[in-house]
Amino acid sequence: MPGNSSGYLFRLTTFGESHGHATGGVIDGCPAGLSIDYDFIQRELNRRKPLYHGSTERQEADSAEFLSGIQNGVTMGTPIGFLVRNTEIRKSDYDNIANLYRPSHADLTYTMKYGNTPVGGGRASGRETVARVIAGAIAKLLLKSAGIEIHAFVSQVGNVVADSDLAGADLSFALQSPYGCPDTKMEQQVASLISEAELNGDTLGGAVTCRITGTPPGHGEPVFDKLQADLAKAMLSIGTAKAFEYGLGFQSASMKGSDYNDQLIVKEGKIRFLTNHDGGIQGGISNGEDILFRVGFKPVPSVKKPQSTANRQGETEMISITGRHDTCHVPRLVVIVESMAALVLADHLLRNQSARLENLR
């Protein structure tokens, strides 16, 4: 099945299914000499775990095993192979709906394309994102050495929207919050909303907002590999992602050019911008300002409420999905958004360095 790789110079290929023996990946193109912080990688994996009320009861250890590419804690410049073993496999959870297509899942489309539907969604399951987080953590280590950092937070769950924008959001609070929220008020509202949805046998979606700092001007490869285009593809590859916008996004559609434009000034001998409506990217290339974007996610499709569906014989039936599923998965998506952003930025960092070397020849 093609489509399992992401990136050009910093390239990740993932493997594994939700209820298979393991999930993992291979990172190709990571430079030699990068120190690997295993504790940091585990902390990143822990951020993806279901640690709040309303998340799945499936509890995996999520401990990464590195098979190649690292020696004495330092990358060798060769492919980095890793895996995470699945220990909480329960295929029996799906026995009662094995003959049914779950609404808004990939069951029907996978069957149409491949002739079968993997148990628990297979590659379409959120379990697949474990490999992204491990690779993203290594990409973050590479970016940190270049002064680039990535931070995201939950900016919306259901009808609860954060009061703070990126400029005013307390990202240190969000990092400690089990719900990924920027303040106590939103955290309490989200916790209450998730509890209500769970009680009603329903689920919730939301949005994650991300800020990338320290990116120098010049990252991005027009015209088809624009930085925002690669970020959009990376974010929309996340299973339940439905929307991507950077800078002012859809708000810009209702503005006049004179109000929207990021006007330039010269301050202390440097060209700067009065605003950052373009979200740090112009012409598909980073301009040195913070890169700002937001990703919208649909509600978890596994709902307990009875819904209409079709069986494999082509007959209409009713379905009610039980088992171990998130009522709201948005808090767990924060680290995944950061990880995918890190993979894109690491790739463009290496591409930019490569282009400079070519120009020197």
Side-chain angles (χ1 to χ4, degrees):
M1 182 171 65
N4 296 302
S5 299
S6 174
Y8 181 70
L9 292 183
F10 192 99
R11 190 168 181 82
L12 169 67
T13 301
T14 69
F15 63 85
E17 293 82 37
S18 178
H19 290 269
H21 294 294
T23 185
V26 176
I27 303 169
D28 204 0
C30 184
L34 179 68
S35 295
I36 298 298
D37 186 339
Y38 293 109
D39 290 337
F40 171 70
I41 293 173
Q42 188 58 57
R43 288 197 300 273
E44 290 289 277
L45 283 169
N46 290 346
R47 293 175 64 196
R48 184 194 163 281
K49 289 184 177 181
L51 301 176
Y52 56 93
H53 179 74
S55 53
T56 177
E57 296 175 1
R58 182 174 178 174
Q59 297 291 335
E60 294 279 0
D62 284 351
S63 177
E65 299 178 32
F66 288 94
L67 310 175
S68 64
I70 302 172
Q71 183 171 276
N72 299 322
V74 179
T75 57
M76 301 167 63
T78 54
I80 300 171
F82 62 88
L83 62 79
V84 173
R85 300 184 189 277
N86 293 331
T87 59
E88 284 283 307
I89 301 170
R90 276 184 15 196
K91 295 183 180 181
S92 60
D93 284 351
Y94 301 89
D95 288 348
N96 65 326
I97 56 172
N99 193 45
L100 302 175
Y101 296 114
R102 296 172 296 172
S104 286
H105 284 72
D107 297 350
L108 180 59
T109 52
Y110 262 59
T111 301
M112 288 175 168
K113 185 174 180 66
Y114 301 110
N116 63 77
T117 304
V119 174
R123 294 285 285 159
S125 167
R127 183 73 190 145
E128 174 268 334
T129 59
V130 175
R132 303 182 189 219
V133 173
I134 295 170
I138 293 176
K140 281 184 178 182
L141 294 173
L142 177 62
L143 293 171
K144 188 174 182 180
S145 68
I148 302 172
E149 295 193 1
I150 301 171
H151 299 285
F153 70 98
V154 173
S155 52
Q156 182 176 351
V157 170
N159 59 6
V160 175
V161 180
D163 291 332
S164 306
D165 59 13
L166 263 176
D170 186 352
L171 299 185
S172 61
F173 183 93
L175 187 61
Q176 301 300 320
S177 168
Y179 295 95
C181 298
D183 55 64
T184 303
K185 175 186 175 183
M186 183 181 183
E187 183 179 78
Q188 293 174 344
Q189 290 177 326
V190 166
S192 176
L193 194 65
I194 292 175
S195 293
E196 180 183 350
E198 183 179 40
L199 189 64
N200 293 329
D202 219 329
T203 61
L204 296 164
V208 172
T209 300
C210 186
R211 175 172 68 200
I212 304 172
T213 60
T215 306
H219 287 208
E221 304 291 336
V223 290
F224 294 114
D225 291 348
K226 293 178 179 179
L227 187 54
Q228 79 272 19
D230 280 357
L231 283 169
K233 181 178 180 181
M235 297 306 146
L236 293 175
S237 76
I238 302 171
T240 54
K242 287 296 179 182
F244 173 87
E245 63 176 358
Y246 73 104
L248 290 187
F250 282 99
Q251 183 182 340
S252 64
S254 62
M255 298 176 68
K256 295 178 180 178
S258 56
D259 294 325
Y260 176 85
N261 286 349
D262 290 327
Q263 300 180 54
L264 287 74
I265 59 171
V266 178
K267 188 175 182 179
E268 298 177 355
K270 294 183 179 180
I271 296 178
R272 298 300 304 271
F273 299 90
L274 290 175
T275 54
N276 189 19
H277 297 160
D278 280 323
I281 304 171
Q282 293 167 331
I285 302 171
S286 60
N287 64 10
E289 299 296 323
D290 289 352
I291 296 171
L292 312 173
F293 66 86
R294 185 171 62 144
V295 190
F297 297 94
K298 72 177 184 180
V300 176
S302 297
V303 300
K304 295 179 180 178
K305 281 188 172 183
Q307 294 190 304
S308 175
T309 191
N311 61 28
R312 297 179 189 276
Q313 290 74 46
E315 303 164 327
T316 301
E317 285 196 35
M318 298 299 291
I319 186 173
S320 180
I321 301 175
T322 57
R324 301 173 297 175
H325 304 287
D326 293 297
T327 299
C328 179
H329 61 331
V330 179
R332 301 178 64 196
L333 292 169
V334 172
V335 69
I336 299 167
V337 166
E338 291 182 3
S339 297
M340 293 308 298
L343 291 174
V344 171
L345 266 292
D347 189 42
H348 278 279
L349 173 69
L350 297 182
R351 293 174 74 166
N352 208 43
Q353 291 173 349
S354 177
R356 289 184 178 183
L357 287 175
E358 285 295 326
N359 291 335
L360 292 173
R361 291 178 181 175

